[in-house]
Amino acid sequence: ILNVEQSPQSLHVQEGDSTNFTCSFPSSNFYALHWYRWETAKSPEALFVMTLNGDEKKKGRISATLNTKEGYSYLYIKGSQPEDSATYLCAFNVQSSNDYKLSFGAGTTVTVRA
Amino acid sequence: EPEVTQTPSHQVTQMGQEVILRCVPISNHLYFYWYRQILGQKVEFLVSFYNNEISEKSEIFDDQFSVERPDGSNFTLKIRSTKLEDSAMYFCASSAFETQYFGPGTRLLVL
């Protein structure tokens, strides 16, 4: 079982403020790190997949960084808006010849207050 | 934009009954997965399917579980004799490579 940890479990952010949270994962046999955005009653939405140490990805006001040597990734939300309220899941692939199965963290639930 | 669909959205069943959860993956994808999330816990991997056979399964995926791709478009998860602890949200996902696209889930409640 691969242990993927996310911190904090939840956070409340004032509209307009920026925030960030972390995902830690085993650094051995690394293949890829994924971030998903999950709103209640909807499908988890793929935000980023990162494979290289030092990778930085950006989608609008959301960005992510990756450090494979120390086994962590940060997700940043700049200028939070109420529509950013969701649970953000990180998930981890190991190198495998079979498939791309994911090991998930427990998620960080973000609530943006207007 | 193509999406993964799942039916039903909710299912309530009695302990010991069989349930079949259905998924329609994205049409040109080759890898298919089932995950589940028990309330308050992490999303956990159940099984992956490639080239018409199971490529990997977790410890959870015991003889009570089976998967099938009966007609080239649907991907089903069958639980033969449900237990109370099978109550969870079940997610189907599909991928061409490493990015997996998830369906909205089926919430299964076993009474």
Side-chain angles (χ1 to χ4, degrees), chain A residues 4 36 38 99-102, chain B residues 35 37 42 48 56 100:
Chain A
V4 181
Y36 284 86
W38 185 20
D99 56 40
Y100 299 99
K101 72 169 187 185
L102 295 172
Chain B
Y35 296 84
Q37 187 188 37
K42 293 180 179 181
S48 55
E56 193 165 350
Q100 293 182 27

Side-chain angles (χ1 to χ4, degrees), chain A residues 29-81:
Chain A
N29 294 323
F30 175 83
Y31 181 79
L33 192 283
H34 304 248
W35 282 100
Y36 284 86
R37 181 176 180 277
W38 185 20
E39 288 182 72
T40 305
K42 294 187 179 179
S43 306
E45 173 198 354
L47 287 174
F48 307 114
V49 55
M50 296 184 288
T51 56
L52 298 176
N53 185 43
D55 250 357
E56 289 190 30
K57 293 275 178 92
K58 189 174 179 184
K59 187 174 183 178
R61 293 178 291 98
I62 302 177
S63 60
T65 60
L66 179 68
N67 182 323
T68 60
K69 292 188 192 305
E70 296 180 39
Y72 65 84
S73 175
Y74 284 103
L75 191 86
Y76 299 88
I77 305 176
K78 185 178 176 183
S80 305
Q81 299 297 310

Side-chain angles (χ1 to χ4, degrees), chain B residues 80-107:
Chain B
R80 284 190 189 82
S81 178
T82 50
K83 302 191 271 286
L84 296 176
E85 54 265 37
D86 294 328
S87 295
M89 178 75 93
Y90 287 80
F91 291 100
C92 169
S94 69
S95 71
F97 300 104
E98 66 270 3
T99 299
Q100 293 182 27
Y101 296 86
F102 283 78
T106 294
R107 184 167 293 284

